[in-house]
Amino acid sequence: MATSLPIVEMKDISISFPGVKALDGVDFRLYQGEVHTLMGENGAGKSTLIKALTGVYKIDSGQILISGEERRLTGTADAQAAGIATVYQEVNLCANLTIGENVMLGHEVRGPFGINWRATYRAATEALKGLGLDHLDPRQPLSSLSLAVQQLVAISRAMVTKSKVLILDEPTSSLDANEVENLFTVMRRLRDQGVAILFVSHFLDQVYAISDRLTVLRNGKYEGEYLTRELDRTALISKMIGKDFATLKSLGRERQEHHGEPREPLLTATDLGRKGSIEPTDVELRRGEVLGFAGLLGSGRTELARLLYGADKPDSGTVVLRGKKTDLSTPAAALANRIAFSSENRRDEGIIRDLSVRENLILAVQAKRGWFRPLGKKEQDEIVGKYLKELNVRPADPERAIRNLSGGNQQKVLLGRWLATKPDLLILDEPTRGIDVGAKAEIQATVAALAEEGVSIVFISSELEEVVRLSDRILVLKDHRKIAELDNGPEITAETIVAVIAEEGVTEEGAA
Amino acid sequence: MTSTLQPRKDGSSNLATGDRPVSQRFRFDLNTLPTIAALVIFIGMIAYGEIAYGRILQANTISNLLINNAYLIVLAVGLTFVILTGGIDLSVGAIIAFSSVSGVMLANAGWDPYLVMVLMVLMGTAFGAVSGVLVQYFNVQPFIATLAMMFLGRGLASMLSTVPERLSDESPIRALATPIKIIDGEKVNDLVVTPGVMLAALVVLGGFFVLHRTRLGRTVYAIGGSEQSASLMGLPVPRTKLAIYIISGTLAGVAGVIYTARLGSAQNITGIGWELDAIAATVIGGTLLTGGAGFVLGSVVGALVLGLMNVLITRDGGIRPETTTIITGGILLVFVILQRFVIRQQR
């Protein structure tokens, strides 16, 4: 399968940023016709390595050989010219243009009268066909496609340039299981055509399903290169985090033993709904309970959570909180009633990039107190110190700008922000998305500990395993309505939930 | 669950695969809606004017509309490029003032009038280039960068002269405003164009060609859709952003030449607020202020809507001219709301 000469060979690559050695003598080889996964925790240097390969970052030392020739790439366009195409986690296409225009942007077929649109669209159709996307009409606007299909369009764009190397940087983090399968089908097809694919993902299952070979990085250093079939998961994780991961395993057992005794309800919502986002739904939440929201992306999980917090105004239903009917139609009202909501959109609705860790952390407490009674320096230090320590935020430097922290640590700061308000109900929407195994385990442990202390938690995640592991009860959503509520127990697994979602209303599937 | 690979809206759109009839090349989608609305309003205004006042839909009225608004059409084409990328150019009115005052003074000082016209255009290019460099390489907000150029241009024009500078009637520059009869109608009802109008038409065609038939134009749309995406797609974003401000500045220079030729004089206060007229024309013509959607031809219609409005107000006689701005504001408001609606539909 693999020819003797790697198509990409990176030797002894080092890159430093002020104060950090992002990559330290890393080697990487990529062969034609393989799927090669780059593994490592956040901050291990995966993105830096990719940016070095695509010419976004300059390397301080080392060599990059492409098809055996040393190259110094200077940017995305240059990398594309050298046959290296990249598809990023957030789909980077233009939603205002058509599918075909996106596929061909920068490579339009030109004739004597400028761009020949007919030939351009024909080429776009060819490129889509090459990935088995024959059913897409290239003249439709891109915005008519789901995110998952947009990603496939981004890949076909890479194929227009006849790229020999395709880099997929966390392409699956916002896809559901079927969409991932579609992506993998396309990836296998390209691999068989001889394209070398560099894949990055946090999902171990996916890594094992698709990749032929792995390179593991840790703290900017090269850990090793392995054949996927020769390295089991436990070994892989310990190579990534460099220590055992018993925390992950013990957690599930604790939670499953934990539930059982009925507790008093904290919040009871009846017929809570909003037109176009979620049908009227009943939600009951007891004190110290973790209620998981499970469902595919777009099933209404986030929408329901936003109604509970008042981020969107419900247009039907009532909420009884601590035995009293309560109006929760604005975030301020929810906050005053000790309900906190951590958004799934960490970058836009969570952190404030340019503020420091300290400022980000105290934001919600300060807002709750009102801006006319600023927190004193001492109080701030107390709160910030407490949560940085408890949540194990690294680096534990409160004055560092939050944008310089890894995703996992940003998420911990956000968790701290809401914990500082001492909530009775904490809504966590995708708190572990796109963060590494270590930080994920820590956040899960925090959630379990909070429930132990009597905080009620709504836990939303695309990773069903995680929902099952943590939740006392699971509310299953599909197509903007609740389709089931399951009491968690040893017999419930991720497969149970998938089955519930898959079997419900099979006849309507075409409309989904 | 094969449905994941199909367009989200409904199953039916899958029927339309591959080869579609050529007639569908002009897609009716939401992006064209504001432009179509502008066209409808324009036609409606003509119809209303014809019924209420008469003598609107006739050759000489249309000719005058084009002659009087040629400069605005050229400005609006330039602004369309800028606004399509999500930027703004406030300097175009001041560029006209500076290039026309200095142009007239140079011509009166005995410089070759053809050279002077070229220089007037190049002055606009220079202003645009400075704006573009500020925006692209110094990361200054387009609003601020072009605001600075606006004050600079206006100030320089005032330093040159604060009184109207007249161009001699024989100057070849004025030839740009010589009427050319196309159709000789009854009495004064002739279809007339001037070289200025023809120049404006060329600018419109050129703008259309660049935006829809060149990679530069496609990059302009891509930047308006998402600048980050455009640069990750390997498109030449910095070069393109520089280019659009240069285009806008250059076209402001062209507009200065056309306007000076028609008026025969120039003054430092010429063109105050014209940048806003041009922005209004562009927005009325259907270009989204957030960028990424719009058409040059829409901006032409937008400019003509504004021009026709002035004609109608003059014809009515009963409407005080001061209300022009109120009506412009009203129309603009309606279009901005329409755009909001379109954007909401797209999400």
Side-chain angles (χ1 to χ4, degrees), chain A residues 170-353:
Chain A
E170 299 221 26
T172 57
S173 53
S174 47
L175 306 192
D176 68 33
N178 290 295
E179 293 166 339
V180 169
E181 207 32 65
N182 285 328
L183 175 69
F184 283 1
T185 309
V186 166
M187 283 170 68
R188 290 193 188 100
R189 188 192 276 238
L190 290 173
R191 177 187 63 192
D192 296 344
Q193 288 167 10
V195 176
I197 299 177
L198 168 54
F199 180 64
V200 177
S201 170
H202 277 115
F203 298 96
L204 288 185
D205 288 345
Q206 296 173 0
V207 170
Y208 276 90
I210 191 79
S211 51
D212 303 308
R213 199 192 292 264
L214 299 164
T215 290
V216 181
L217 300 181
R218 192 174 79 221
N219 290 334
K221 292 205 177 72
Y222 175 74
E223 269 295 307
E225 185 192 86
Y226 311 92
L227 286 174
T228 312
R229 61 172 183 277
E230 287 173 4
L231 185 72
D232 72 30
R233 292 168 196 228
T234 321
L236 172 61
I237 293 176
S238 44
K239 284 193 193 312
M240 281 166 63
I241 61 179
K243 58 187 174 211
D244 76 316
F245 64 117
T247 34
L248 255 180
K249 290 209 154 162
S250 62
L251 208 61
R253 212 147 298 127
E254 263 173 44
R255 288 302 302 158
Q256 297 204 341
E257 283 165 8
H258 161 78
H259 48 71
E261 75 274 36
R263 293 148 175 268
E264 56 170 319
L266 174 72
L267 176 145
T268 314
T270 318
D271 281 338
L272 193 66
R274 180 181 156 90
K275 226 174 138 214
S277 81
I278 185 102
E279 287 177 23
T281 308
D282 296 344
V283 183
E284 194 186 52
L285 195 59
R286 299 169 205 279
R287 281 186 193 275
E289 177 182 58
V290 179
L291 177 64
F293 283 7
L296 303 178
L297 216 73
S299 58
R301 301 178 315 211
T302 299
E303 289 79 354
L304 184 56
R306 289 177 66 90
L307 287 189
L308 286 175
Y309 181 62
D312 292 324
K313 221 176 156 67
D315 51 26
S316 73
T318 54
V319 176
V320 175
L321 190 71
R322 301 183 195 92
K324 272 206 309 256
K325 195 165 169 248
T326 314
D327 177 28
L328 293 180
S329 57
T330 65
L335 213 49
N337 282 299
R338 304 173 81 108
I339 299 178
F341 173 68
S342 168
S343 162
E344 64 176 331
N345 196 341
R346 181 166 68 229
R347 207 178 51 181
D348 296 336
E349 295 179 8
I351 62 162
I352 297 177
R353 286 173 51 82

Side-chain angles (χ1 to χ4, degrees), chain A residues 96 101 108 115 117 135, chain B residues 5 212-213 215 218 233 292:
Chain A
N96 58 324
E101 283 173 321
E108 293 92 347
I115 295 168
W117 281 110
H135 56 277
Chain B
L5 266 175
H212 296 279
R213 294 241 157 196
R215 290 188 183 166
R218 302 325 291 167
M233 281 196 243

Side-chain angles (χ1 to χ4, degrees), chain A residues 70-88:
Chain A
E70 181 162 6
R71 293 291 291 265
R72 284 273 152 137
L73 300 171
T74 55
T76 318
D78 198 30
Q80 274 180 13
I84 301 175
T86 314
V87 174
Y88 298 89

Side-chain angles (χ1 to χ4, degrees), chain A residues 436-501:
Chain A
D436 62 67
V437 183
K440 199 177 260 183
E442 284 172 353
I443 285 179
Q444 290 172 357
T446 308
V447 169
L450 285 169
E452 212 59 57
E453 287 166 21
V455 179
S456 306
I457 290 163
V458 169
F459 187 85
I460 306 178
S461 171
S462 293
E463 266 183 86
L464 292 176
E465 287 80 7
E466 192 180 50
V467 176
V468 172
R469 195 182 302 137
L470 282 172
S471 308
D472 297 307
R473 279 186 306 127
I474 301 168
L475 199 148
V476 186
L477 293 144
K478 182 182 180 183
D479 297 343
H480 303 281
R481 64 201 161 79
K482 176 167 96 173
I483 56 168
E485 214 173 303
L486 309 170
D487 274 320
N488 202 354
E491 73 286 356
I492 304 276
T493 63
E495 285 72 32
T496 326
I497 296 175
V498 171
V500 168
I501 296 171

